[in-house]
Amino acid sequence: MNVRIEIAHDRCRGAGQCALNAPELFDQSDEDGTVVLLDAQPPPEQHNAARLAAALCPNAVISIVEQP
């Protein structure tokens, strides 16, 4: 199964839960603290971290698209 991460930048408020819980996949902008996606198609060993970051995002900015 492949996973693709999508970000709704306009809803991000810079809470940082994504970068704290999945630093291999997410960072925060130095300018405004909003999410920076580091890997839109992570390897399988990062799928659970991507799902966790999406679940913890208070503004539901992160979407996980699972593809067969």
Side-chain angles (χ1 to χ4, degrees):
M1 172 128 358
N2 293 319
V3 165
R4 186 177 78 244
I5 303 170
E6 296 178 353
I7 302 293
H9 287 278
D10 59 323
R11 293 196 322 253
C12 183
R13 300 293 177 257
Q17 291 301 307
C18 56
L20 288 172
N21 289 285
E24 309 83 9
L25 303 176
F26 304 97
D27 199 355
Q28 287 183 273
S29 167
D30 290 335
E31 293 176 18
D32 60 7
T34 58
V35 64
V36 174
L37 180 59
L38 301 176
D39 191 351
Q41 295 184 310
E45 60 270 13
Q46 295 298 322
H47 290 183
N48 285 337
R51 289 183 194 99
L52 177 63
L56 293 175
C57 180
N59 294 317
V61 169
I62 303 167
S63 296
I64 305 298
V65 180
E66 305 213 18
Q67 306 165 319

